[in-house]
Every structure is written in structure tokens, then in C-alpha cells.
Amino acid sequence: MQTNEKELRAISLTLEAGEHIRSCIGCTYDLQQSSQKISHHGMLAVTSQRIIFYSCTMGTPWVKFINYHHISLAKLDKDLSDSRGNITLINQGVNEVFTHLPSEECIEGFVAVLEQEAGISCEN
């Protein structure tokens, strides 16, 4: 699995005592602000306690935390044209969509760890 050392180090700095990174993938998160969408390219990590997305776009770090107990549904949508897709998490009723995923092999491993840590099953 390829990782960006800077992003992985930044995520590690946000971990709470006893929390550990279990899996991570590079991806994109589109943040809707007012009428514009801002794409954040970064790293999505499954930890022993929550999901963390970290991005540093144009020198500005941005972190999103999603607690497992706030996730009501996880869905993996595959794009058959290039074997990529997106992961959608329903977080307190809001769709959190992570796109531009790596290879299918990396995604399957990541989803397996997510299911185990969060105690949920990911729909296909």
C-alpha cells in the first residue's frame, strides 16, 4: 500500500492515547462550502477509535474526524470503467463521500478493516 509519509505523520499527531492506525488509503474528499465545492486530496485512515481524513491543500492542513457510532451506513460504489469508485459514509444523516480511490485490492483491504473496527458491514 502506498502512503504519503507527511500525511501519515500528520494523522499520527491527531491520535488519542491508545489509538492506533489500522489501515489507510489515499483519496479525495469534496467539501461543499456555500455554492462551491473544494476538493481535498489526502489520506483516509481507519483507527482503533474513528475515521480520520487528512489533507494539506495549498499549504493549509484540514482534518475531518468521523466517530464510528455516528456512521449509520457505509457503501462502496465501484466505477466499472476503471476499477475505482468511492466510499460513502452516512455520518449523522450526511453523506460523506471519498473518491479517487486506489486499486481495488487496496480498497478491499481497507473496507475489511473498516468493517472490523467500526462494527458495520459495507454495502456494495
Side-chain angles (χ1 to χ4, degrees), residues 29 31 33 40 53-57 60-64 98:
Y29 178 79
L31 178 65
Q33 286 190 327
H40 290 273
F53 178 76
Y54 173 84
S55 173
C56 188
T57 303
T60 304
W62 188 80
V63 182
K64 180 165 195 66
F98 299 90

Side-chain angles (χ1 to χ4, degrees), residues 16 49-51 65-72 91-92:
E16 296 176 355
Q49 297 180 18
R50 59 194 166 161
I51 295 172
F65 301 101
I66 302 174
N67 293 318
Y68 293 135
H69 65 275
H70 291 156
I71 300 172
S72 58
N91 174 28
Q92 296 181 325

Side-chain angles (χ1 to χ4, degrees), residues 17-34:
E19 184 177 18
H20 304 283
I21 296 173
R22 301 290 190 211
S23 185
C24 56
I25 56 173
C27 63
T28 299
Y29 178 79
D30 291 329
L31 178 65
Q32 190 70 38
Q33 286 190 327
S34 301

Side-chain angles (χ1 to χ4, degrees), residues 56-104:
C56 188
T57 303
M58 297 183 354
T60 304
W62 188 80
V63 182
K64 180 165 195 66
F65 301 101
I66 302 174
N67 293 318
Y68 293 135
H69 65 275
H70 291 156
I71 300 172
S72 58
L73 180 70
K75 186 174 180 185
L76 176 61
D77 296 311
K78 295 179 183 176
D79 182 345
L80 299 177
S81 64
D82 67 1
S83 299
R84 293 183 175 215
N86 60 62
I87 294 175
T88 302
L89 303 173
I90 309 300
N91 174 28
Q92 296 181 325
V94 175
N95 286 7
E96 308 282 5
V97 182
F98 299 90
T99 61
H100 296 95
L101 303 176
S103 70
E104 187 172 350

